mmCIF file of all heavy atoms in Angstrom:
data_model
loop_
_atom_site.group_PDB
_atom_site.id
_atom_site.type_symbol
_atom_site.label_atom_id
_atom_site.label_comp_id
_atom_site.label_asym_id
_atom_site.label_seq_id
_atom_site.Cartn_x
_atom_site.Cartn_y
_atom_site.Cartn_z
ATOM 1 N N ARG M 128 -7.419 12.204 10.755
ATOM 2 C CA ARG M 128 -7.595 13.358 11.703
ATOM 3 C C ARG M 128 -8.161 12.862 12.985
ATOM 4 O O ARG M 128 -8.860 11.890 13.043
ATOM 5 C CB ARG M 128 -8.478 14.430 11.030
ATOM 6 C CG ARG M 128 -7.869 14.991 9.743
ATOM 7 C CD ARG M 128 -8.764 16.070 9.196
ATOM 8 N NE ARG M 128 -8.857 17.205 10.126
ATOM 9 C CZ ARG M 128 -9.988 17.821 10.336
ATOM 10 N NH1 ARG M 128 -11.088 17.560 9.756
ATOM 11 N NH2 ARG M 128 -10.022 18.759 11.250
ATOM 12 N N ARG M 135 -17.943 13.092 12.289
ATOM 13 C CA ARG M 135 -18.845 13.106 11.160
ATOM 14 C C ARG M 135 -19.968 12.175 11.434
ATOM 15 O O ARG M 135 -19.763 11.017 11.807
ATOM 16 C CB ARG M 135 -18.184 12.671 9.865
ATOM 17 C CG ARG M 135 -17.128 13.571 9.389
ATOM 18 C CD ARG M 135 -16.131 12.799 8.515
ATOM 19 N NE ARG M 135 -16.858 11.842 7.624
ATOM 20 C CZ ARG M 135 -16.213 10.972 6.799
ATOM 21 N NH1 ARG M 135 -14.999 10.859 6.828
ATOM 22 N NH2 ARG M 135 -17.006 10.234 6.022
ATOM 23 N N GLU M 140 -21.060 4.896 8.229
ATOM 24 C CA GLU M 140 -22.001 4.526 7.161
ATOM 25 C C GLU M 140 -21.464 3.376 6.380
ATOM 26 O O GLU M 140 -20.442 3.549 5.664
ATOM 27 C CB GLU M 140 -22.265 5.766 6.336
ATOM 28 C CG GLU M 140 -23.612 5.836 5.532
ATOM 29 C CD GLU M 140 -24.756 6.017 6.503
ATOM 30 O OE1 GLU M 140 -24.734 7.035 7.182
ATOM 31 O OE2 GLU M 140 -25.611 5.107 6.485
ATOM 32 N N LEU M 201 14.584 2.842 5.668
ATOM 33 C CA LEU M 201 14.837 3.918 4.835
ATOM 34 C C LEU M 201 15.376 5.115 5.478
ATOM 35 O O LEU M 201 15.883 6.083 4.813
ATOM 36 C CB LEU M 201 13.522 4.330 4.080
ATOM 37 C CG LEU M 201 12.861 3.189 3.347
ATOM 38 C CD1 LEU M 201 11.508 3.681 2.746
ATOM 39 C CD2 LEU M 201 13.710 2.681 2.183
ATOM 40 N N VAL M 202 15.445 5.132 6.820
ATOM 41 C CA VAL M 202 15.838 6.313 7.643
ATOM 42 C C VAL M 202 17.224 6.683 7.221
ATOM 43 O O VAL M 202 17.579 7.892 7.033
ATOM 44 C CB VAL M 202 15.719 5.989 9.108
ATOM 45 C CG1 VAL M 202 16.375 7.161 9.900
ATOM 46 C CG2 VAL M 202 14.252 5.846 9.484
ATOM 47 N N ALA M 204 18.978 5.759 4.504
ATOM 48 C CA ALA M 204 19.308 5.599 3.030
ATOM 49 C C ALA M 204 19.711 6.935 2.494
ATOM 50 O O ALA M 204 19.086 8.001 2.763
ATOM 51 C CB ALA M 204 18.019 5.107 2.277
ATOM 52 N N ARG M 217 5.833 2.851 -1.861
ATOM 53 C CA ARG M 217 4.839 3.841 -1.388
ATOM 54 C C ARG M 217 3.672 3.120 -0.682
ATOM 55 O O ARG M 217 3.221 3.553 0.318
ATOM 56 C CB ARG M 217 4.393 4.746 -2.488
ATOM 57 C CG ARG M 217 5.291 5.953 -2.807
ATOM 58 C CD ARG M 217 4.668 6.969 -3.652
ATOM 59 N NE ARG M 217 4.524 6.585 -5.021
ATOM 60 C CZ ARG M 217 5.533 6.751 -5.940
ATOM 61 N NH1 ARG M 217 6.657 7.278 -5.573
ATOM 62 N NH2 ARG M 217 5.371 6.376 -7.185
ATOM 63 N N ASP M 218 3.201 2.066 -1.370
ATOM 64 C CA ASP M 218 1.994 1.385 -0.789
ATOM 65 C C ASP M 218 2.397 0.746 0.559
ATOM 66 O O ASP M 218 1.623 0.810 1.484
ATOM 67 C CB ASP M 218 1.525 0.312 -1.796
ATOM 68 C CG ASP M 218 0.702 0.848 -2.863
ATOM 69 O OD1 ASP M 218 0.398 2.084 -2.840
ATOM 70 O OD2 ASP M 218 0.402 0.122 -3.837
ATOM 71 N N ARG M 221 2.888 3.337 3.445
ATOM 72 C CA ARG M 221 1.986 4.426 3.707
ATOM 73 C C ARG M 221 1.568 4.490 5.136
ATOM 74 O O ARG M 221 1.586 5.497 5.843
ATOM 75 C CB ARG M 221 0.744 4.293 2.752
ATOM 76 C CG ARG M 221 -0.165 5.494 2.841
ATOM 77 C CD ARG M 221 -1.345 5.417 1.950
ATOM 78 N NE ARG M 221 -2.249 4.339 2.342
ATOM 79 C CZ ARG M 221 -3.143 4.324 3.286
ATOM 80 N NH1 ARG M 221 -3.321 5.460 4.012
ATOM 81 N NH2 ARG M 221 -3.852 3.261 3.608
ATOM 82 N N THR M 231 1.420 2.678 19.829
ATOM 83 C CA THR M 231 2.046 1.973 20.982
ATOM 84 C C THR M 231 1.033 1.389 21.888
ATOM 85 O O THR M 231 1.171 0.242 22.325
ATOM 86 C CB THR M 231 2.972 2.965 21.704
ATOM 87 O OG1 THR M 231 3.945 3.484 20.833
ATOM 88 C CG2 THR M 231 3.652 2.330 22.880
ATOM 89 N N ARG M 249 9.159 -13.977 12.364
ATOM 90 C CA ARG M 249 10.588 -14.021 12.706
ATOM 91 C C ARG M 249 11.145 -15.372 12.243
ATOM 92 O O ARG M 249 12.244 -15.510 11.734
ATOM 93 C CB ARG M 249 10.803 -13.891 14.218
ATOM 94 C CG ARG M 249 12.111 -13.531 14.674
ATOM 95 C CD ARG M 249 12.936 -14.680 15.257
ATOM 96 N NE ARG M 249 12.163 -15.563 16.112
ATOM 97 C CZ ARG M 249 12.081 -15.449 17.400
ATOM 98 N NH1 ARG M 249 12.659 -14.443 18.035
ATOM 99 N NH2 ARG M 249 11.315 -16.269 18.043
ATOM 100 N N ASP M 253 14.102 -16.009 9.599
ATOM 101 C CA ASP M 253 15.275 -16.829 9.861
ATOM 102 C C ASP M 253 15.590 -17.819 8.708
ATOM 103 O O ASP M 253 16.697 -17.956 8.267
ATOM 104 C CB ASP M 253 15.170 -17.540 11.197
ATOM 105 C CG ASP M 253 15.517 -16.618 12.319
ATOM 106 O OD1 ASP M 253 16.305 -15.643 12.129
ATOM 107 O OD2 ASP M 253 15.065 -16.894 13.437
ATOM 108 N N THR M 274 10.896 -19.056 -2.887
ATOM 109 C CA THR M 274 9.617 -19.233 -3.714
ATOM 110 C C THR M 274 8.499 -19.508 -2.683
ATOM 111 O O THR M 274 7.395 -18.945 -2.903
ATOM 112 C CB THR M 274 9.833 -20.287 -4.718
ATOM 113 O OG1 THR M 274 10.965 -20.051 -5.515
ATOM 114 C CG2 THR M 274 8.534 -20.362 -5.642
ATOM 115 N N ARG M 286 -6.643 -13.288 -0.587
ATOM 116 C CA ARG M 286 -7.756 -13.443 0.377
ATOM 117 C C ARG M 286 -8.259 -12.186 0.920
ATOM 118 O O ARG M 286 -9.322 -12.096 1.572
ATOM 119 C CB ARG M 286 -7.316 -14.427 1.446
ATOM 120 C CG ARG M 286 -7.028 -15.785 1.044
ATOM 121 C CD ARG M 286 -6.950 -16.718 2.196
ATOM 122 N NE ARG M 286 -8.381 -16.932 2.751
ATOM 123 C CZ ARG M 286 -8.572 -17.246 4.026
ATOM 124 N NH1 ARG M 286 -7.548 -17.504 4.828
ATOM 125 N NH2 ARG M 286 -9.849 -17.368 4.415
ATOM 126 N N PRO M 288 -10.193 -9.020 1.201
ATOM 127 C CA PRO M 288 -11.371 -8.657 0.455
ATOM 128 C C PRO M 288 -11.159 -7.263 -0.146
ATOM 129 O O PRO M 288 -10.561 -6.418 0.393
ATOM 130 C CB PRO M 288 -12.475 -8.585 1.512
ATOM 131 C CG PRO M 288 -11.919 -9.077 2.821
ATOM 132 C CD PRO M 288 -10.430 -9.127 2.676
ATOM 133 N N LEU M 329 -9.672 2.844 -8.297
ATOM 134 C CA LEU M 329 -8.660 3.547 -9.186
ATOM 135 C C LEU M 329 -7.507 3.919 -8.371
ATOM 136 O O LEU M 329 -7.503 3.881 -7.136
ATOM 137 C CB LEU M 329 -9.362 4.857 -9.727
ATOM 138 C CG LEU M 329 -9.868 5.897 -8.766
ATOM 139 C CD1 LEU M 329 -8.738 6.851 -8.441
ATOM 140 C CD2 LEU M 329 -10.961 6.668 -9.546
ATOM 141 N N ARG M 337 7.920 12.020 -13.317
ATOM 142 C CA ARG M 337 7.182 11.818 -14.584
ATOM 143 C C ARG M 337 6.276 13.013 -14.862
ATOM 144 O O ARG M 337 5.510 13.413 -13.963
ATOM 145 C CB ARG M 337 6.271 10.570 -14.482
ATOM 146 C CG ARG M 337 7.012 9.293 -14.609
ATOM 147 C CD ARG M 337 6.061 8.109 -14.760
ATOM 148 N NE ARG M 337 5.835 7.769 -16.143
ATOM 149 C CZ ARG M 337 5.638 6.533 -16.614
ATOM 150 N NH1 ARG M 337 5.786 5.553 -15.809
ATOM 151 N NH2 ARG M 337 5.461 6.372 -17.918
ATOM 152 N N GLU M 341 -0.268 8.037 -14.694
ATOM 153 C CA GLU M 341 -0.923 6.838 -15.247
ATOM 154 C C GLU M 341 -2.036 6.525 -14.281
ATOM 155 O O GLU M 341 -1.779 6.426 -13.082
ATOM 156 C CB GLU M 341 0.027 5.667 -15.402
ATOM 157 C CG GLU M 341 -0.683 4.638 -16.250
ATOM 158 C CD GLU M 341 0.421 3.645 -16.811
ATOM 159 O OE1 GLU M 341 0.855 2.783 -16.011
ATOM 160 O OE2 GLU M 341 0.634 3.707 -17.989
ATOM 161 N N ARG M 367 -4.184 -2.248 -21.579
ATOM 162 C CA ARG M 367 -4.868 -3.200 -20.736
ATOM 163 C C ARG M 367 -3.896 -4.135 -20.064
ATOM 164 O O ARG M 367 -2.727 -4.237 -20.437
ATOM 165 C CB ARG M 367 -5.872 -3.958 -21.472
ATOM 166 C CG ARG M 367 -7.014 -3.184 -22.004
ATOM 167 C CD ARG M 367 -7.810 -3.773 -23.041
ATOM 168 N NE ARG M 367 -8.379 -5.007 -22.460
ATOM 169 C CZ ARG M 367 -9.103 -5.811 -23.134
ATOM 170 N NH1 ARG M 367 -9.544 -5.539 -24.335
ATOM 171 N NH2 ARG M 367 -9.698 -6.954 -22.584
ATOM 172 N N ARG L 128 1.507 -6.793 -16.560
ATOM 173 C CA ARG L 128 1.397 -7.734 -17.685
ATOM 174 C C ARG L 128 2.851 -7.976 -18.230
ATOM 175 O O ARG L 128 3.703 -7.160 -18.107
ATOM 176 C CB ARG L 128 0.517 -7.100 -18.766
ATOM 177 C CG ARG L 128 -0.910 -6.975 -18.308
ATOM 178 C CD ARG L 128 -1.739 -6.459 -19.479
ATOM 179 N NE ARG L 128 -1.738 -7.449 -20.534
ATOM 180 C CZ ARG L 128 -1.656 -7.076 -21.850
ATOM 181 N NH1 ARG L 128 -1.607 -5.838 -22.119
ATOM 182 N NH2 ARG L 128 -1.626 -7.995 -22.769
ATOM 183 N N ARG L 135 4.938 -1.217 -24.918
ATOM 184 C CA ARG L 135 4.470 0.129 -25.199
ATOM 185 C C ARG L 135 5.544 1.058 -25.501
ATOM 186 O O ARG L 135 6.540 1.156 -24.627
ATOM 187 C CB ARG L 135 3.648 0.694 -24.041
ATOM 188 C CG ARG L 135 2.440 -0.102 -23.633
ATOM 189 C CD ARG L 135 1.994 0.205 -22.187
ATOM 190 N NE ARG L 135 2.201 1.595 -21.861
ATOM 191 C CZ ARG L 135 2.100 2.119 -20.604
ATOM 192 N NH1 ARG L 135 1.851 1.271 -19.617
ATOM 193 N NH2 ARG L 135 2.252 3.356 -20.396
ATOM 194 N N GLU L 140 8.509 6.668 -20.592
ATOM 195 C CA GLU L 140 8.293 8.076 -20.701
ATOM 196 C C GLU L 140 8.322 8.692 -19.187
ATOM 197 O O GLU L 140 7.463 8.446 -18.379
ATOM 198 C CB GLU L 140 6.936 8.332 -21.241
ATOM 199 C CG GLU L 140 6.729 9.669 -21.924
ATOM 200 C CD GLU L 140 7.556 9.769 -23.226
ATOM 201 O OE1 GLU L 140 7.375 8.936 -24.161
ATOM 202 O OE2 GLU L 140 8.387 10.738 -23.235
ATOM 203 N N LEU L 201 -2.021 -14.403 6.442
ATOM 204 C CA LEU L 201 -3.540 -14.470 6.228
ATOM 205 C C LEU L 201 -3.958 -15.777 5.644
ATOM 206 O O LEU L 201 -5.145 -15.963 5.559
ATOM 207 C CB LEU L 201 -3.872 -13.300 5.264
ATOM 208 C CG LEU L 201 -3.451 -11.818 5.780
ATOM 209 C CD1 LEU L 201 -3.806 -10.797 4.688
ATOM 210 C CD2 LEU L 201 -4.133 -11.515 7.031
ATOM 211 N N VAL L 202 -3.021 -16.575 5.236
ATOM 212 C CA VAL L 202 -3.352 -17.811 4.529
ATOM 213 C C VAL L 202 -4.329 -18.667 5.403
ATOM 214 O O VAL L 202 -5.331 -19.178 4.897
ATOM 215 C CB VAL L 202 -2.088 -18.626 4.134
ATOM 216 C CG1 VAL L 202 -2.507 -19.935 3.577
ATOM 217 C CG2 VAL L 202 -1.287 -17.816 3.088
ATOM 218 N N ALA L 204 -6.045 -17.706 8.002
ATOM 219 C CA ALA L 204 -7.032 -16.946 8.729
ATOM 220 C C ALA L 204 -8.475 -17.344 8.434
ATOM 221 O O ALA L 204 -8.752 -17.471 7.227
ATOM 222 C CB ALA L 204 -6.849 -15.406 8.550
ATOM 223 N N ARG L 217 -4.834 -3.789 2.802
ATOM 224 C CA ARG L 217 -4.907 -3.847 1.347
ATOM 225 C C ARG L 217 -3.631 -3.231 0.714
ATOM 226 O O ARG L 217 -2.958 -3.782 -0.164
ATOM 227 C CB ARG L 217 -6.119 -3.180 0.792
ATOM 228 C CG ARG L 217 -7.320 -4.103 0.784
ATOM 229 C CD ARG L 217 -8.430 -3.485 -0.053
ATOM 230 N NE ARG L 217 -9.153 -2.387 0.565
ATOM 231 C CZ ARG L 217 -10.128 -2.522 1.424
ATOM 232 N NH1 ARG L 217 -10.573 -3.707 1.713
ATOM 233 N NH2 ARG L 217 -10.703 -1.490 1.997
ATOM 234 N N ASP L 218 -3.216 -2.080 1.268
ATOM 235 C CA ASP L 218 -1.989 -1.393 0.684
ATOM 236 C C ASP L 218 -0.756 -2.219 0.936
ATOM 237 O O ASP L 218 0.107 -2.380 0.108
ATOM 238 C CB ASP L 218 -1.848 -0.046 1.385
ATOM 239 C CG ASP L 218 -2.798 0.986 0.814
ATOM 240 O OD1 ASP L 218 -3.476 0.737 -0.162
ATOM 241 O OD2 ASP L 218 -2.865 2.079 1.450
ATOM 242 N N ARG L 221 -0.615 -5.495 -1.211
ATOM 243 C CA ARG L 221 -0.967 -5.376 -2.630
ATOM 244 C C ARG L 221 0.169 -6.037 -3.483
ATOM 245 O O ARG L 221 -0.045 -6.952 -4.335
ATOM 246 C CB ARG L 221 -1.148 -3.996 -3.152
ATOM 247 C CG ARG L 221 -1.603 -3.923 -4.661
ATOM 248 C CD ARG L 221 -1.784 -2.497 -5.065
ATOM 249 N NE ARG L 221 -0.532 -1.718 -5.094
ATOM 250 C CZ ARG L 221 0.325 -1.744 -6.038
ATOM 251 N NH1 ARG L 221 0.136 -2.493 -7.171
ATOM 252 N NH2 ARG L 221 1.505 -1.062 -5.967
ATOM 253 N N THR L 231 11.674 -14.674 -7.212
ATOM 254 C CA THR L 231 12.688 -15.585 -6.676
ATOM 255 C C THR L 231 14.044 -15.275 -7.330
ATOM 256 O O THR L 231 15.093 -15.195 -6.590
ATOM 257 C CB THR L 231 12.305 -17.071 -6.898
ATOM 258 O OG1 THR L 231 11.089 -17.323 -6.236
ATOM 259 C CG2 THR L 231 13.372 -17.977 -6.347
ATOM 260 N N ARG L 249 15.226 -8.497 11.296
ATOM 261 C CA ARG L 249 15.093 -9.697 12.289
ATOM 262 C C ARG L 249 15.505 -9.243 13.623
ATOM 263 O O ARG L 249 14.860 -9.486 14.675
ATOM 264 C CB ARG L 249 16.024 -10.814 11.802
ATOM 265 C CG ARG L 249 15.678 -12.164 12.399
ATOM 266 C CD ARG L 249 16.631 -12.591 13.471
ATOM 267 N NE ARG L 249 18.055 -12.258 13.168
ATOM 268 C CZ ARG L 249 18.897 -13.062 12.584
ATOM 269 N NH1 ARG L 249 18.558 -14.253 12.162
ATOM 270 N NH2 ARG L 249 20.160 -12.623 12.366
ATOM 271 N N ASP L 253 13.207 -9.131 17.003
ATOM 272 C CA ASP L 253 13.612 -9.796 18.211
ATOM 273 C C ASP L 253 13.404 -8.859 19.426
ATOM 274 O O ASP L 253 12.916 -9.338 20.426
ATOM 275 C CB ASP L 253 15.084 -10.320 18.192
ATOM 276 C CG ASP L 253 15.130 -11.663 17.473
ATOM 277 O OD1 ASP L 253 14.159 -12.405 17.410
ATOM 278 O OD2 ASP L 253 16.252 -11.936 16.965
ATOM 279 N N THR L 274 7.451 2.084 20.708
ATOM 280 C CA THR L 274 7.375 3.504 20.153
ATOM 281 C C THR L 274 8.530 3.743 19.255
ATOM 282 O O THR L 274 8.410 4.420 18.257
ATOM 283 C CB THR L 274 7.304 4.492 21.376
ATOM 284 O OG1 THR L 274 6.257 4.138 22.193
ATOM 285 C CG2 THR L 274 7.084 5.919 20.792
ATOM 286 N N ARG L 286 10.269 9.972 4.083
ATOM 287 C CA ARG L 286 11.338 10.202 3.140
ATOM 288 C C ARG L 286 11.019 9.556 1.718
ATOM 289 O O ARG L 286 11.719 9.865 0.731
ATOM 290 C CB ARG L 286 12.643 9.513 3.639
ATOM 291 C CG ARG L 286 13.135 10.100 4.919
ATOM 292 C CD ARG L 286 14.608 9.732 5.154
ATOM 293 N NE ARG L 286 15.463 10.328 4.099
ATOM 294 C CZ ARG L 286 16.646 9.844 3.703
ATOM 295 N NH1 ARG L 286 17.057 8.694 4.282
ATOM 296 N NH2 ARG L 286 17.378 10.421 2.848
ATOM 297 N N PRO L 288 9.744 9.470 -1.692
ATOM 298 C CA PRO L 288 9.278 10.528 -2.557
ATOM 299 C C PRO L 288 7.870 10.295 -3.091
ATOM 300 O O PRO L 288 7.562 9.187 -3.399
ATOM 301 C CB PRO L 288 10.244 10.584 -3.736
ATOM 302 C CG PRO L 288 11.335 9.570 -3.398
ATOM 303 C CD PRO L 288 10.833 8.719 -2.285
ATOM 304 N N LEU L 329 -4.965 10.696 -5.716
ATOM 305 C CA LEU L 329 -6.317 10.290 -5.235
ATOM 306 C C LEU L 329 -6.313 8.849 -4.883
ATOM 307 O O LEU L 329 -5.468 8.054 -5.295
ATOM 308 C CB LEU L 329 -7.323 10.657 -6.329
ATOM 309 C CG LEU L 329 -7.220 9.940 -7.659
ATOM 310 C CD1 LEU L 329 -7.889 8.602 -7.606
ATOM 311 C CD2 LEU L 329 -7.992 10.827 -8.640
ATOM 312 N N ARG L 337 -19.491 -1.348 2.166
ATOM 313 C CA ARG L 337 -19.951 0.047 2.165
ATOM 314 C C ARG L 337 -20.694 0.341 0.833
ATOM 315 O O ARG L 337 -20.116 0.193 -0.209
ATOM 316 C CB ARG L 337 -18.824 1.032 2.310
ATOM 317 C CG ARG L 337 -18.365 1.133 3.745
ATOM 318 C CD ARG L 337 -17.359 2.269 3.904
ATOM 319 N NE ARG L 337 -18.058 3.413 4.305
ATOM 320 C CZ ARG L 337 -17.485 4.338 5.169
ATOM 321 N NH1 ARG L 337 -16.281 4.142 5.536
ATOM 322 N NH2 ARG L 337 -18.179 5.373 5.522
ATOM 323 N N GLU L 341 -15.446 6.561 -0.438
ATOM 324 C CA GLU L 341 -14.874 7.750 0.027
ATOM 325 C C GLU L 341 -13.709 8.015 -0.890
ATOM 326 O O GLU L 341 -12.778 7.114 -1.002
ATOM 327 C CB GLU L 341 -14.524 7.719 1.454
ATOM 328 C CG GLU L 341 -14.065 9.060 1.970
ATOM 329 C CD GLU L 341 -14.131 9.114 3.480
ATOM 330 O OE1 GLU L 341 -13.239 8.626 4.081
ATOM 331 O OE2 GLU L 341 -15.123 9.620 4.006
ATOM 332 N N ARG L 367 -12.361 17.526 5.696
ATOM 333 C CA ARG L 367 -10.888 17.764 5.595
ATOM 334 C C ARG L 367 -10.100 17.034 6.706
ATOM 335 O O ARG L 367 -10.696 16.599 7.664
ATOM 336 C CB ARG L 367 -10.648 19.250 5.714
ATOM 337 C CG ARG L 367 -11.232 19.959 4.552
ATOM 338 C CD ARG L 367 -11.197 21.461 4.847
ATOM 339 N NE ARG L 367 -9.859 21.927 4.938
ATOM 340 C CZ ARG L 367 -9.531 23.256 5.057
ATOM 341 N NH1 ARG L 367 -10.512 24.083 5.125
ATOM 342 N NH2 ARG L 367 -8.308 23.565 5.220
#
Side-chain angles (χ1 to χ4, degrees):
Chain M
R128 298 183 60 221
R135 296 158 40 189
E140 206 69 58
L201 304 175
V202 172
R217 275 195 284 276
D218 283 351
R221 188 181 62 83
T231 299
R249 200 257 321 268
D253 279 336
T274 307
R286 297 196 66 204
L329 60 86
R337 282 190 94 143
E341 190 161 77
R367 292 168 61 177
Chain L
R128 297 184 59 223
R135 297 160 37 191
E140 206 69 58
L201 303 176
V202 172
R217 276 195 285 275
D218 283 351
R221 187 182 62 85
T231 298
R249 200 256 321 266
D253 279 335
T274 306
R286 297 197 66 205
L329 59 84
R337 284 188 93 144
E341 189 161 78
R367 292 168 64 178

